[in-house]
Amino acid sequence: MGRNLSLLLKRELLNLDKDPDSKNSSMKGIKSYIKNLDSSAIPFFLSQISNTKQTESTPTEYTISLYEVLARVHGPKIIPQIDNIMSSIIKTLKCCPPSFSLHQACSKVVPTIATHAVDPATPDHNKRKIIHSLCKPLSDSLLSNQDSLSSGAALCLKALVDSDNWRFASSQTVNEVCQRVVGALEKCLTTNAHMGLVMSLAERDGLIVEAYARLLVRSGVKIVNVAGLEGNSHKRLMAIQMISFLMKSLDYKCLMSELGFIIEEMKKCDGDDDQTTYVKGAAFEAIQTANRILSEKGSKFEKLTSAGQRGLTASPESQTMSYMLDSPYGISGLSQEVDFDGSGTPSPLRSWSFINLEHIKIFTTPRKLMKCLQDSNQSQKVKSRSSQSFMSPLLSKFDLKCDLSDSFGLDEERFYDASEHMCQEADRETKLTRWFSVMRIVCGLVVLFGITVCFLLVGDKSEEYNVVPT
């Protein structure tokens, strides 16, 4: 029976290479075969599809579309075969020349599997694994030098990000995709599909993309200039639209330091007579967006940076530092630094790429300040409740001053003078507290002594009036 089914499947696959009527008839027969397929026979079906693609001249988009039918019919039963399906898709994109119909077929398979393989009763950690198994081989292919593979993978990932079940993707998975697509943009391996993927990520995962915002803008401007030299107006238009979308979608603070650069570069496009009307229009829109952000948010951003810098120079690094302090993540929420590996791309789950440590001075705490801090801590153990309430504002200001100096590198001499002055105030308050304590003890002893003397005197007088009868 299995042999007969194999022969039937092969015959139907061969008919896909014939006239349109034969193709439609064969597709109906194969879909019927898939619907009646037992779950245990799915691996056999996939092997037949793979072997047919390697030996026959069957159009690959038709065979790839069979994976979509398989996912719709069998749903979660295909989970064990996801790796095989994705391997087949990557192999097809790598071996076949660029084809719009092939890319469209692949981009339909991936979100279909994400939709139908995930059951509502599936635990969340299994949902994350399914999304990661779909995403990993595609994100690894974004940096490929083969245009068909790189652009096809970007198109499939964009379709996956736009799907509803992308919400189950872990932060690590999103970071991996951002890392690869940033690397592709920096190496100018970018296609329109890559820039479309960036915009989808910015829309769905803006908080994570914000860590890569400056790199994306810089790479986008580079693509605009390179595409201009190549005479590729469509690619230039897509890059300008990506930059505009990032300005509109992301938090303004992560791009505030780049707005002047964007305006300058977009003016070049707007004033270039060799460019088409729609490129000039997109550049003009980007300039308007940047100017609007500067006019509406510029003053607020300056107040935030002036409050956060406390002695730092107004460099792009310090502005980004202020953004990190004020971002929804915060410094503690973004766990690591942005580093760069050998393909020149930032590694995942890292967020400090914009801070140049060479421009930040970090001083150790002065020795006298440490001694003052120790004395203040000891004094807290012996003082009364009233003295605690009196001293707490001073100590809190003292601690804040220490933290700001060590974190942001204030001028050491000014900080030392201020801290020594505060130490003197702390010592003076400690001495006053001790003096009050001694005085209370002395007053208490005096009062106790006076009461005792009075009691004795009253006792002697009472004895004089007691007359003994004779």
Side-chain angles (χ1 to χ4, degrees), residues 73-136:
V73 173
H74 293 278
K77 294 179 181 179
I78 69 167
I79 291 177
Q81 304 301 323
I82 288 179
D83 290 341
N84 293 332
I85 294 174
M86 295 307 299
S87 177
S88 177
I89 290 175
I90 296 299
K91 187 175 181 180
T92 302
L93 291 172
K94 186 183 297 184
C95 299
C96 297
S99 169
F100 177 78
S101 58
L102 174 61
H103 287 178
Q104 287 294 319
C106 293
S107 64
K108 289 180 180 179
V109 172
V110 177
T112 301
I113 295 176
T115 300
H116 294 276
V118 176
D119 188 83
T122 304
D124 288 343
H125 67 278
N126 287 338
K127 295 176 181 177
R128 288 192 292 269
K129 288 181 179 179
I130 293 172
I131 299 300
H132 184 264
S133 63
L134 292 169
C135 188
K136 178 64 174 175

Side-chain angles (χ1 to χ4, degrees), residues 313-333:
T313 58
S315 63
E317 287 79 7
S318 63
Q319 291 177 356
T320 307
M321 181 65 177
S322 176
Y323 157 67
M324 298 290 288
L325 292 171
D326 197 62
S327 66
Y329 276 136
I331 290 181
S332 61

Side-chain angles (χ1 to χ4, degrees), residues 384-404:
S384 62
R385 293 183 180 178
S386 61
S387 63
Q388 286 178 351
S389 61
F390 179 77
M391 289 287 292
S392 58
L394 179 62
L395 294 177
S396 63
K397 292 180 181 178
F398 172 76
D399 293 337
L400 177 60
K401 193 73 174 179
C402 295
D403 292 340
L404 288 176

Side-chain angles (χ1 to χ4, degrees), residues 406-446:
D406 287 337
S407 300
F408 297 104
L410 293 175
D411 185 81
E412 190 172 17
E413 295 298 329
R414 291 189 299 164
F415 171 66
Y416 181 81
D417 295 339
S419 61
E420 188 171 9
H421 176 69
M422 297 185 72
C423 290
Q424 293 175 358
E425 291 185 358
D427 291 337
R428 189 181 302 112
E429 295 297 334
T430 302
K431 291 179 182 179
L432 287 175
T433 302
R434 292 176 180 174
W435 186 82
F436 280 125
S437 299
V438 172
M439 289 301 298
R440 282 199 295 268
I441 294 174
V442 172
C443 291
L445 292 176
V446 171

Side-chain angles (χ1 to χ4, degrees), residues 53-71:
K53 288 191 299 180
Q54 294 177 8
T55 59
E56 304 294 342
S57 59
T58 306
T60 51
E61 59 267 23
Y62 287 97
T63 53
I64 289 293
S65 65
L66 296 178
Y67 295 142
E68 180 184 358
V69 179
L70 186 68

